[in-house]
């Protein structure tokens, strides 16, 4: 498999911060991977994602997307990435249709194929009858599904999902996971997934990296990690490696 | 194209925010109506005829009649006549019921006629070498009492005193001329002299030093409509800043920043839509001044003859306001912070800039400070267009200041956004 994302010895230190948020971290994500990025609160996941998206620059090291960096090829790197933030990053006073149309246009998509993509995705995620309802009238699960669609309208190579199933019911969660699996298997979309639902990560991801205190503590294929650490599940592996100490006190 | 979609999105978001729309358009309308009505009397007292004046006439003769007639003709006073003692008249003025009280003592007209006659007789006698010419005549003044409300400004008091003195001088002159006529008739019984014209020979032509001979007098409407419109336009910084912060908090800004192309397109769309809103505010407030205020008995707003320049100033003020909103929205970390900071800052700028109290009645120090406020720049430009028929050349300095303020705010917001991303 060819490499889609390469994080090469990256350090990120915020001004006036006592320590680096990301400390000499290196990892790779292959094309077609469903890659789980796990870690306690404050481990550096959001900082790493922000740097992958080109929002923050690295203090040291380099990040490559398809062999290109944000410094020299910002638009190409951004076009290759779709982001689904943890927050419902939608306009509550606009309908689902209006939200998706606006965001699709911001990705530079043409109106006709964009409308087709919106219709297809809304229909697949069971939202076609609510298309012209304002987002403010949606349930949490429905908002999460629209939030997901907004990140993949431009058919990105890498879909970054930050806790995509937080606060949703089982049905919506299953619909989201099933759809992501379909995108991965049928379209070969690479997925970078962060979550505190470790059972979900174990079921969904073929590769996992655990980071703590800004550094990579382990990475590998999901099953290999469980075997190598003599554990029954990823949750056990996670606790064995990161311990029980609170990180966000 | 992205800009158009961004504009369309902002349009939808703004028009569906009913509460926001109410604040944006109803708040300034109500402010203009209330403040203009409240300040109308104050402005009129400075500009127009409405000074309440009490006359206590104990003379009941020609002087009091002529004086009253002249005061009425001056169109400067609202006259009330009462029969009161001097002390009671003084009390009435002290209570604030009248700005001025005039007490005309008994026999004032008689005394005036008598002394005029004495002076004329002495003059005529001096021609004939009569002994009368060497006799002394009474040159003491006949005193009319004037009472002023204690809160009356010195300059205003002097103006009123001078006006009344001028009227009395004319009456004196008329009396002298009458006496002279009588004496001449006695000396030359067959003569048929023509009437001596005592109308003023030297007069003043007064006009406001404005362009195109415009003689618009600043009034409550001419001040309050542009002043509160500018206030509302700058108040737009709060919803704009709130909009930016909300996008940042709910992750929309994060999503937009991860998209290819410049985030500035989205910001530009937001800004242009808010400038558009501020222009609608401006047009609406002009309509209030033109059509609603006259229905309430207030003067109609005069917008001058330079509509394109007026729109240019409004556009520049709208840009300055949205630029400021953008800066507040970028720097503030929460909606509460933006609302508080934005509101307090705009209120301070409005107070300094002469929105609440016009700069022409401010102390000298405040007048000098007022020039730092963008609201003052806008207000001065509107005054220029409304009252002096200024054109582009005359308002250019104010427009340039507003545009510079916009560019500095925009640059500050851009720099701060970059700084935050880098750190």
């Amino acid at each position: 498999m060819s490499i889609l994302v390469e994080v090469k010895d990256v350090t990120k230190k915020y001004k006036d911060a006592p320590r680096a948020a990301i400390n000499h971290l290196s990892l790779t994500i292959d094309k077609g991977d469903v890659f789980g990025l796990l870690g306690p609160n404050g481990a550096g996941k959001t900082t790493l994602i922000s740097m992958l998206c080109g929002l923050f620059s690295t203090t040291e090291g380099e990040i490559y997307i398809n062999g290109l960096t944000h410094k020299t090829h910002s638009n190409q790197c951004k076009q290759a990435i779709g982001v689904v933030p943890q927050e419902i990053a939608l306009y509550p006073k606009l309908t689902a249709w209006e939200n998706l149309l606006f965001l699709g246009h911001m990705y530079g998509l043409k109106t006709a194929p964009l409308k087709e993509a919106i219709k297809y995705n809304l229909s697949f995620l069971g939202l076609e009858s609510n298309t012209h309802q304002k987002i403010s009238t949606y349930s949490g699960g429905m908002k999460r599904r629209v939030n997901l669609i907004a990140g993949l309208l431009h058919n990105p190579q890498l879909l970054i999902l930050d806790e995509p199933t937080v606060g949703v019911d089982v049905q919506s969660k299953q619909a989201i996971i099933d759809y992501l699996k379909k995108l991965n298997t049928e379209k070969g979309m690479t997925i970078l997934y962060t979550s505190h639902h470790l059972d979900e990560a174990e079921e969904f991801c073929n590769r996992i990296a655990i980071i703590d205190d800004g550094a990579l503590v382990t990475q590998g294929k999901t099953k290999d990690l469980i075997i190598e650490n003599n554990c029954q599940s990823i949750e056990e592996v996670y606790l064995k490696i990161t311990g029980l100490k609170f990180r966000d006190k | 194209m992205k800009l158009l979609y961004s504009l369309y999105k902002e349009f939808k978001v703004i028009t569906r925010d009913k509460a926001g729309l109410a604040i944006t358009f109803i708040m300034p309308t109500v402010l203009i109506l209330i403040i203009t009505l409240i300040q109308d009397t104050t402005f009129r007292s400075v500009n127009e005829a409405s000074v309440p004046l009490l006359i206590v006439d104990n003379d009941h003769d020609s002087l009091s009649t002529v004086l009253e007639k002249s005061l009425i003709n001056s169109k400067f006073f609202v006259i009330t006549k009462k029969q009161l003692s001097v002390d009671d008249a003084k009390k009435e003025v002290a209570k604030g019921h009248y700005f001025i009280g005039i007490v005309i003592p008994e026999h004032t007209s008689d005394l005036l006629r008598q002394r005029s006659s004495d002076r004329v007789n002495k003059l005529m006698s001096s021609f004939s070498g009569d002994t009368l010419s060497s006799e002394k005549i009474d040159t003491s003044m006949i005193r009319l009492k004037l009472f002023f409300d204690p809160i009356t400004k010195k300059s205003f008091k002097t103006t009123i005193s001078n006006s009344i003195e001028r009227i009395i001088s004319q009456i004196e002159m008329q009396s002298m001329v009458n006496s002279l006529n009588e004496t001449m008739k006695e000396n030359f019984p067959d003569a048929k002299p023509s009437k001596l014209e005592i109308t003023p020979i030297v007069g003043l032509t007064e006009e406001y030093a404005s362009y195109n001979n415009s003689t618009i007098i600043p009034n409550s409407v001419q001040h309050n409509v542009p002043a509160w419109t500018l206030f509302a336009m700058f108040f737009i910084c709060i919803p704009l800043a709130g909009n930016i912060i909300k996008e940042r908090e709910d992750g929309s800004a994060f999503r937009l920043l991860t998209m290819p192309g410049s985030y500035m397109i989205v910001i530009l769309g937001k800004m242009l839509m808010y400038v558009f809103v501020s222009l609608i505010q401006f047009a609406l407030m002009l309509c209030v001044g033109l059509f609603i205020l006259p229905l309430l008995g207030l003067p109609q707003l005069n917008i001058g003859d330079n509509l394109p320049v007026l729109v240019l100033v409004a556009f520049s003020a709208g840009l300055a306001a949205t630029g400021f909103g953008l800066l507040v929205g970028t720097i503030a970390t929460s909606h509460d912070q933006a609302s508080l900071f934005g509101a307090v800052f705009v209120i301070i700028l409005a107070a300094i800039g002469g929105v609440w109290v016009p700069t022409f009645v401010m102390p000298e120090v405040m007048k000098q400070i007022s020039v730092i406020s963008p609201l003052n720049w806008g207000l001065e430009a509107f005054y220029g267009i409304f009252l002096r028929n200024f054109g582009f050349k005359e308002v250019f300095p104010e427009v340039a200041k507003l545009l510079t303020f916009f560019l500095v705010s925009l640059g500050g917001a851009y720099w701060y956004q970059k700084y935050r991303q880098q750190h």
Side-chain angles (χ1 to χ4, degrees):
Chain A
M1 284 235 196
S2 58
I3 293 170
L4 178 64
V5 179
E6 186 179 8
V7 179
K8 208 170 176 183
D9 197 24
V10 164
T11 294
K12 175 69 186 178
K13 190 172 185 306
Y14 293 107
K15 198 188 175 193
D16 301 329
R19 60 185 178 82
I22 297 288
N23 195 6
H24 296 287
L25 191 145
S26 296
L27 58 82
T28 55
I29 301 172
D30 292 334
K31 283 182 181 167
D33 267 353
V34 178
F35 192 93
L37 183 66
L38 309 179
N41 290 335
K45 299 189 295 290
T46 306
T47 301
L48 183 59
I49 288 174
S50 298
M51 287 192 293
L52 279 170
C53 297
L55 258 67
F56 295 158
S57 56
T58 58
T59 308
E60 283 175 40
E62 207 59 81
I63 291 175
Y64 297 94
I65 314 283
N66 272 330
L68 306 171
T69 70
H70 279 287
K71 283 175 193 162
T72 53
H73 297 83
S74 176
N75 280 349
Q76 287 95 318
C77 289
K78 284 182 173 179
Q79 194 67 43
I81 297 171
V83 183
V84 181
Q86 186 181 338
E87 300 85 6
I88 305 295
L90 300 166
Y91 300 94
K93 294 206 185 299
L94 301 188
T95 64
W97 180 263
E98 288 165 341
N99 265 289
L100 295 172
L101 206 57
F102 166 68
L103 293 168
H105 279 133
M106 287 299 109
Y107 269 113
L109 302 178
K110 299 265 182 260
T111 304
L114 173 61
K115 283 183 176 174
E116 282 306 311
I118 294 170
K119 273 183 199 165
Y120 173 79
N121 282 290
L122 284 173
S123 162
F124 199 89
L125 285 168
L127 292 164
E128 70 266 54
S129 58
N130 311 93
T131 303
H132 298 292
Q133 249 176 261
K134 284 182 192 170
I135 291 294
S136 56
T137 65
Y138 275 31
S139 70
M142 289 159 83
K143 285 177 188 171
R144 285 265 161 225
R145 281 179 269 163
V146 180
N147 203 34
L148 170 65
I149 296 170
L152 48 84
L153 283 171
H154 64 297
N155 205 15
Q157 286 177 274
L158 173 67
L159 184 64
I160 299 176
L161 302 152
D162 191 2
E163 306 245 18
T165 58
V166 73
V168 299
D169 61 16
V170 178
Q171 285 79 9
S172 287
K173 186 170 142 184
Q174 202 52 53
I176 289 169
I177 296 294
D178 287 347
Y179 192 47
L180 291 172
K181 280 180 181 171
K182 179 180 154 68
L183 290 170
N184 178 249
T185 52
E186 289 181 9
K187 291 191 177 180
M189 194 178 281
T190 307
I191 293 170
L192 172 60
Y193 167 92
T194 77
S195 179
H196 291 295
H197 296 145
L198 301 185
D199 52 339
E200 192 179 283
E202 183 180 332
E203 185 214 326
F204 181 44
C205 304
N206 67 316
R207 286 184 70 217
I208 280 175
I210 298 175
I211 61 170
D212 197 7
D213 273 338
L216 182 72
V217 286
T218 189
Q219 72 164 323
K221 289 186 176 170
T222 310
K223 282 176 186 162
D224 292 350
L225 283 177
I226 294 170
I227 295 164
E228 283 165 14
N229 287 282
N230 287 323
C231 294
Q232 299 296 313
S233 65
I234 279 294
E235 188 163 345
E236 259 187 66
V237 175
Y238 181 88
L239 284 171
K240 190 175 178 182
I241 291 173
T242 59
L244 290 167
K245 197 177 78 177
F246 290 122
R247 303 301 200 285
D248 54 356
K249 49 180 184 178
Chain B
M1 283 304 276
K2 282 187 181 180
L3 180 62
L4 280 180
Y5 292 122
S6 186
L7 276 168
Y8 181 69
K9 184 267 288 178
E10 288 301 332
F11 174 76
K12 290 266 180 190
V13 170
I14 289 172
T15 50
R16 286 178 190 175
D17 181 9
K18 301 282 182 288
L21 281 178
I23 291 170
T24 308
F25 295 114
I26 296 174
M27 185 261 294
T29 309
V30 171
L31 274 173
I32 285 177
L33 291 175
I34 292 173
I35 309 286
T36 309
L37 281 166
I38 290 171
Q39 291 190 351
D40 186 50
T41 315
T42 315
F43 273 86
R44 274 175 197 264
S45 70
V46 178
N47 299 315
E48 293 175 19
S50 63
V51 179
L53 184 145
L54 171 69
I55 295 180
V56 178
D57 181 11
N58 295 324
D59 178 44
H60 304 293
D61 202 341
S62 56
L63 180 128
S64 59
T65 311
V66 175
L67 179 63
E68 186 188 337
K69 208 173 159 186
S70 302
L71 290 170
I72 290 169
N73 287 342
S74 74
K75 294 180 178 175
F76 209 64
F77 306 99
V78 176
I79 293 168
T80 307
K81 275 182 85 172
K82 280 185 181 175
Q83 281 311 119
L84 299 169
S85 67
V86 174
D87 284 344
D88 287 341
K90 196 175 175 180
K91 277 180 197 165
E92 285 285 294
V93 176
K95 281 179 194 167
H97 296 160
Y98 303 96
F99 254 48
I100 307 153
I102 302 177
V103 180
I104 308 167
E106 279 181 300
H107 312 302
T108 308
S109 299
D110 271 347
L111 283 169
L112 176 64
R113 280 192 292 268
Q114 193 186 323
R115 290 188 189 176
S116 301
S117 173
D118 288 350
R119 289 179 190 197
V120 169
N121 286 339
K122 186 179 175 180
L123 175 73
M124 297 303 290
S125 304
S126 67
F127 283 110
S128 60
D130 203 333
T131 51
L132 193 68
S133 63
S134 57
E135 277 182 21
K136 282 204 166 180
I137 57 165
D138 189 354
T139 55
S140 63
M141 281 187 175
I142 306 162
R143 295 277 175 183
L144 267 65
K145 275 195 181 298
L146 244 68
F147 300 116
F148 282 95
D149 187 332
I151 64 158
T152 310
K153 274 182 153 186
K154 200 178 170 186
S155 56
F156 187 62
K157 183 171 162 273
T158 309
T159 309
I160 298 294
S161 298
N162 288 345
S163 300
I164 293 171
E165 267 180 31
R166 193 167 153 234
I167 291 168
I168 291 171
S169 295
Q170 281 177 342
I171 296 170
E172 276 181 20
M173 172 75 94
Q174 184 65 57
S175 177
M176 300 276 270
V177 168
N178 290 345
S179 294
L180 186 64
N181 266 341
E182 292 299 317
T183 311
M184 295 298 275
K185 268 185 190 172
E186 283 169 18
N187 293 337
F188 305 100
D190 299 330
K192 288 179 180 169
S194 61
K195 199 180 170 188
L196 177 63
E197 288 291 339
I198 56 160
T199 49
I201 294 168
V202 179
L204 300 174
T205 305
E206 295 177 7
E207 69 181 57
Y208 286 92
S210 58
Y211 287 71
N212 299 348
N213 297 322
S214 165
T215 53
I216 304 155
I217 300 165
N219 56 39
S220 180
V221 173
Q222 297 296 121
H223 167 71
N224 282 305
V225 173
W228 292 103
T229 304
L230 277 165
F231 181 75
M233 287 167 90
F234 271 82
F235 226 73
I236 221 166
C237 78
I238 295 170
L240 173 57
N243 182 315
I244 291 166
I245 290 164
K246 196 174 169 300
E247 274 195 2
R248 205 163 59 219
E249 283 176 348
D250 71 10
S252 302
F254 176 82
R255 197 201 290 277
L256 291 166
L257 279 163
T258 64
M259 291 178 176
S262 177
Y263 180 58
M264 283 310 282
I265 295 284
V266 180
I267 292 293
L268 188 63
K270 205 179 286 293
M271 231 172 53
L272 287 177
M273 187 45 67
Y274 275 88
V275 170
F276 179 64
V277 169
S278 69
L279 286 177
I280 294 175
Q281 270 184 324
F282 178 73
L284 188 70
M285 297 311 120
L286 284 194
C287 290
V288 169
L290 286 168
F291 307 115
I292 308 289
L293 294 180
L295 299 177
L296 303 174
L298 293 162
Q300 189 180 44
L301 176 73
N302 190 318
I303 59 168
D305 303 327
N306 249 321
L307 199 60
V309 178
L310 188 61
V311 173
L312 174 73
V313 173
F315 183 70
S316 308
L319 278 176
T322 48
F324 179 62
L326 198 66
L327 183 63
V328 173
T330 309
I331 293 173
T333 52
S334 70
H335 201 283
D336 287 346
Q337 204 180 61
S339 301
L340 189 67
F341 176 76
V344 170
F345 205 72
V346 170
I347 286 168
I348 290 171
L349 288 178
I352 293 172
V355 167
W356 295 1
V357 177
T359 47
F360 56 79
V361 294
M362 281 182 183
E364 202 52 45
V365 180
M366 287 312 295
K367 276 183 193 168
Q368 284 171 10
I369 293 174
S370 72
V371 298
I372 64 167
S373 167
L375 278 89
N376 180 260
W377 308 334
L379 196 53
E380 286 300 318
F382 284 133
Y383 275 163
I385 297 165
F386 290 171
L387 306 173
R388 303 179 186 102
N389 269 317
F390 273 4
F392 174 75
K393 200 175 144 193
E394 288 80 20
V395 298
F396 176 75
E398 312 302 337
V399 170
K401 281 186 221 170
L402 286 166
L403 292 177
T404 307
F405 181 81
F406 162 67
L407 290 173
V408 169
S409 302
L410 200 65
Y414 182 76
W415 174 82
Y416 191 81
Q417 175 70 22
K418 283 278 166 204
Y419 173 82
R420 198 155 49 191
Q421 274 182 291
Q422 297 301 319
H423 298 87

